[in-house]
Amino acid sequence: ALGWQDRIGSFEPGCEADFVVLDPQATPLIARRSHRSETLEEQLFAFAMLGDDRVIDSVYIMGEQTTAGEPVAV
């Protein structure tokens, strides 16, 4: 993307990354559905259909974990 392959698109040290970590056990319903998921697509579908803010385990911006309520500098 725009010649930035040395900085983005990887979780390698030194790369820029914004991502969330999702918890497949966040609620009893999602946990039950996640247990039955056989593929990544099925797991993502369960998050899309059943998920809410409770499935977010943690948030990383520019590779650094943020805390709840912390303002984000862009």
Side-chain angles (χ1 to χ4, degrees):
L2 307 172
W4 293 352
Q5 58 270 25
D6 61 323
R7 297 188 322 214
I8 62 173
S10 172
F11 289 108
E12 294 297 321
C15 290
E16 300 173 7
D18 297 342
F19 57 93
V20 297
V21 177
L22 304 177
D23 178 8
Q25 307 298 313
T27 68
L29 181 58
I30 292 173
R32 186 170 57 229
R33 182 61 178 89
S34 295
H35 180 71
R36 296 179 53 212
S37 297
E38 295 181 8
T39 66
L40 176 60
E41 290 81 6
E42 289 178 356
Q43 181 65 65
L44 293 175
F45 182 78
F47 282 131
M49 295 298 108
L50 305 172
D52 57 26
D53 61 324
R54 295 173 290 177
V55 302
I56 300 173
D57 180 71
S58 51
V59 176
Y60 290 79
I61 298 175
M62 292 293 290
E64 299 291 325
Q65 187 172 7
T66 64
T67 57
E70 179 181 335
V72 177
V74 285

